[in-house]
Amino acid sequence: MAEIAGNALLSVFDKAGIEEFARELSELGWRIYASGGTAETIKKAGVKVTDTSELSKGGAILGHRVVTLAREIYAGLLADDSKEQKAELEALGIPRINLVCVDMYPLKEAIADPNASEADIIEKTDVGGPTLLHAASKGRRIVLSRAEQRKEVIKWLKDGKPDEQVYVRKLAAVAEREVANYMLKSAKYLGKGDTCGFIGDRKAQSSYGENPWQGNAAFYVDVDDDDPLSIGRFELVEGIALSYNNFTDVDRLLQTVTHAGATFDKNEKKVPAIVLGAKHGNLCGAAFDNDPIKAAKKMLEGDLRAIFGGSIVVNTNMTRELAETIMTYEMEEGRKRILDIVMAPGVDDDALEILKRKNGKLRLLINPALGKLTQDSLDKKLRSRYVRGGRLTQDNYTHVIDCSSEDVEKRGKPISDERMRDMQFAWAIGCTSSSNTICIVRDGMLLANGVGQQDRVTAAELALMRAKNAGHDTKGAVAYSDSFFPFPDGPQILASAGIEGILTTRGSIRDKEVIDTLTEAGVSFCTFPDKEARGFYAH
């Protein structure tokens, strides 16, 4: 009798394709063991299989709750290569198990089902599967925890198991990750908020840290990510790896462009071309227009100095003309603008050549979902951040203002449709900028963003100063404040600069004084309740 290649234990909830995997193993000389339904599926396919009951000296018990949890099975998985343990297995008549292929009961789907009862969750909480994977990982067996690994493993076996120790360790790491994620879901469900955690796969390793002492930066994708606008779903089609700060800029741009898309979708039923430019996490240029070229020019004109070395996102395909505009508009003849990141739904080949920067320092990220922005594009996942000794979590910012709702109050002269669109755009920029923020917009173009100030007066002064320094006249513009004005002084400063409309929240004990001040100055005032619409961000 020919010597077998090894003993394989197969036990899967999803039986799709398992018979073909078993057949391939059998043809390579492996002896197949399988439990219950898996064994039946393999047997019906004409592949020789032995039920695990022959290993455990008994069949399934307790209504199939206990099948593979047997001393004999785990001895076959955990025995090391020493002569003593090999001899002990042989004396006990226990075969060494060399390969395990397991998936687990669909706990995630059960928890997500609003109609699932506690009994349903318990029934879909696997014990044998996670335990087999964990034991096989510890025993450094060939362990498959995902269906897509099967073809890869078969090829590796046929190729003679190259770099066996490294490969087996890699498989073990994936299996342990699957088990950890499974256990974390169970803990979160049972704990009802008492447990927090994140399991991620390293998607990218940053090439450097922003400061000399900041190295080893990496980006990890949530293993349960299903967001079409997740950063992990963007394709890096040009340039070197992103730095840590690049990733944070991308995240901030995504927050702003999705809020802009959402407010236009909600209030206008149509999303125009949007072009945003950011530097160090806050917008320095932003514009919308039906013509993406005009939008790009207005974005750049917002602050030609600040966009230098910045990052840009557009929600339209990157054509040659758009790329040329972004790279050369208002630049000296023969020179191109220095940028770190450009994000778009897609890119034409000739546009790609225009965008390239020496040494790959312009990173071009592509994701078709950018071209389909709606209210559903907002990020609804829980936000968290490290603080010393732990993590803070809170719901994401998903509020979208509705300018036709009963909650809105309008004072002063009527606001034109054009200026209302400007206000909506200013809101999308300001509510995703570091607070305190005063944001000034006119004709679909960001004139200035006074961000990150400790008081609202200084935020207004900063916004006006930045607008002036960039060569803009603020007369006829509108402003957004990410919370109510506690005193009339901030609005007075804006009114004196020619601001004709302000969008903010109400709730200050001095609201009447603020309204009277603006009414006297001839400034339109549009407010929402502060408890519903406050736009503090990055806290």
Side-chain angles (χ1 to χ4, degrees):
M1 182 177 179
E3 185 177 350
I4 65 167
N7 296 302
L9 192 158
L10 281 52
S11 179
V12 294
F13 178 85
D14 183 356
K15 310 296 190 296
I18 193 63
E19 61 268 47
E20 181 60 31
F21 179 63
R23 180 178 291 107
E24 294 258 32
L25 284 176
S26 182
E27 290 173 355
L28 288 171
W30 286 72
R31 178 186 292 147
I32 310 297
Y33 291 92
S35 61
T38 305
E40 288 181 16
T41 300
I42 293 171
K43 187 175 181 180
K44 285 179 181 177
V47 179
K48 186 176 180 181
V49 60
T50 302
D51 197 285
T52 52
S53 61
E54 293 193 21
L55 286 176
S56 58
K57 315 302 182 191
I61 60 173
L62 301 180
H64 214 75
R65 283 198 174 193
V66 179
V67 183
T68 59
L69 294 167
R71 183 185 75 159
E72 292 80 9
I73 289 175
Y74 288 93
L77 283 172
L78 295 170
D80 61 30
D81 292 326
S82 67
K83 291 182 180 179
E84 293 78 10
Q85 293 199 8
K86 286 181 179 179
E88 189 173 356
L89 284 184
E90 188 174 345
L92 292 169
I94 298 174
R96 177 184 175 88
I97 300 173
N98 310 94
L99 181 149
V100 168
C101 177
V102 169
D103 67 10
M104 295 174 281
Y105 294 169
L107 178 63
K108 174 184 175 182
E109 290 75 9
I111 292 173
D113 183 355
N115 299 316
S117 65
E118 184 80 1
D120 294 329
I121 303 298
I122 291 172
E123 198 61 31
K124 288 295 186 289
T125 302
D126 205 338
V127 175
T131 310
L132 282 171
L133 291 173
H134 186 48
S137 297
K138 177 178 178 177
R140 295 299 187 268
R141 303 313 198 247
I142 303 167
V143 53
L144 293 83
S145 52
R146 301 173 180 170
E148 60 264 29
Q149 293 173 322
R150 295 171 192 170
K151 287 185 178 180
E152 176 189 309
V153 168
I154 291 295
K155 182 179 184 304
W156 175 74
L157 291 171
K158 288 179 177 179
D159 290 343
K161 299 193 283 189
D163 299 318
E164 183 172 3
Q165 189 173 359
V166 173
Y167 187 68
V168 168
R169 184 186 178 95
K170 176 184 174 183
L171 291 174
V174 174
E176 293 281 58
R177 177 270 226 186
E178 294 291 324
V179 172
N181 194 40
Y182 196 85
M183 295 295 98
L184 181 59
K185 283 183 176 56
S186 183
K188 286 181 177 179
Y189 168 77
L190 293 169
K192 296 185 181 299
D194 289 340
T195 299
C196 169
F198 167 80
I199 304 292
D201 290 334
R202 185 167 58 185
K203 177 73 174 181
Q205 187 73 40
S206 295
S207 54
Y208 61 91
E210 243 57 38
N211 297 312
W213 55 89
Q214 290 176 315
N216 200 32
F219 170 59
Y220 291 83
V221 177
D222 188 337
V223 299
D224 294 319
D225 170 57
D226 57 3
D227 178 5
L229 279 168
S230 160
I231 297 175
R233 295 183 186 274
F234 280 75
E235 180 185 0
L236 180 64
V237 297
E238 167 62 26
I240 60 175
L242 277 67
S243 71
Y244 184 94
N245 280 12
N246 289 154
F247 277 110
T248 61
D249 278 355
V250 167
D251 182 62
R252 183 66 69 87
L253 281 168
L254 285 174
Q255 285 285 75
T256 306
V257 76
T258 52
H259 278 78
T263 189
F264 284 128
D265 179 42
K266 187 169 190 173
N267 293 281
E268 308 294 329
K269 311 304 179 188
K270 180 182 179 182
V271 179
I274 300 169
V275 185
L276 308 178
K279 190 74 175 290
H280 291 287
N282 287 295
L283 263 65
C284 58
F288 69 89
D289 198 286
N290 291 328
D291 181 348
I293 305 302
K294 290 181 180 179
K297 289 179 179 180
K298 288 194 291 186
M299 182 279 292
L300 293 168
E301 289 168 355
D303 195 329
L304 290 166
R305 296 178 306 175
I307 194 59
F308 185 87
S311 301
I312 289 175
V313 63
V314 300
N315 67 333
T316 61
N317 195 56
M318 185 60 65
T319 62
R320 178 184 180 86
E321 186 181 4
L322 183 55
E324 284 180 339
T325 301
I326 287 172
M327 299 304 291
T328 65
Y329 181 67
E330 295 291 346
M331 293 292 292
E332 293 179 17
E333 185 74 27
R335 298 193 66 180
K336 292 203 303 185
R337 183 166 279 108
I338 300 296
L339 297 172
D340 276 0
I341 294 170
V342 173
M343 302 158 63
V347 60
D348 294 347
D349 289 341
D350 50 358
L352 181 59
E353 289 302 314
I354 294 169
L355 293 170
K356 284 183 178 179
R357 181 178 162 192
K358 186 179 179 181
N359 299 322
K361 289 187 177 181
L362 187 149
R363 294 87 164 172
L364 179 60
L365 296 167
I366 299 302
N367 186 332
L370 274 177
K372 306 169 186 176
L373 298 178
T374 68
Q375 295 173 66
D376 292 332
S377 301
L378 293 175
D379 184 2
K380 301 176 180 64
K381 297 288 179 64
L382 195 71
R383 284 262 156 180
S384 69
R385 64 184 289 180
Y386 170 77
V387 292
R388 192 160 186 162
R391 301 199 72 82
L392 292 171
T393 67
Q394 67 175 351
D395 292 336
N396 218 317
Y397 185 69
T398 58
H399 178 73
V400 180
I401 58 171
D402 183 352
C403 294
S404 64
S405 74
E406 295 179 356
D407 288 333
V408 66
E409 288 186 5
K410 298 176 182 178
R411 303 294 184 94
K413 62 182 181 180
I415 303 170
S416 68
D417 291 344
E418 182 181 15
R419 287 295 170 258
M420 186 57 72
R421 282 191 290 273
D422 284 344
M423 284 187 173
Q424 293 161 14
F425 194 51
W427 166 83
I429 296 167
C431 75
T432 53
S433 297
S434 299
S435 66
N436 288 328
T437 298
I438 299 290
C439 180
I440 301 175
V441 171
R442 187 183 60 216
D443 298 329
M445 171 182 171
L446 174 66
L447 302 186
N449 202 11
V451 303
Q453 299 307 300
Q454 289 82 3
D455 64 89
R456 209 149 291 279
V457 171
T458 305
E461 292 173 336
L462 176 61
L464 292 170
M465 181 193 76
R466 292 194 64 85
K468 180 180 178 181
N469 289 347
H472 302 304
D473 181 359
T474 55
K475 186 176 180 180
V478 300
Y480 164 75
S481 172
D482 56 3
S483 186
F484 58 72
F485 289 97
F487 303 99
D489 46 6
Q492 283 176 330
I493 292 171
L494 293 171
S496 297
I499 299 298
E500 72 172 36
I502 296 176
L503 171 67
T504 186
T505 61
R506 58 183 182 272
S508 167
I509 60 174
R510 292 184 171 83
D511 274 351
K512 185 178 183 306
E513 293 178 42
V514 173
I515 292 170
D516 290 345
T517 298
L518 292 173
T519 301
E520 185 177 340
V523 177
S524 301
F525 201 42
C526 182
T527 64
F528 293 86
D530 193 68
K531 64 180 181 179
E532 296 177 10
R534 180 185 293 174
F536 285 177
Y537 193 75
H539 289 308

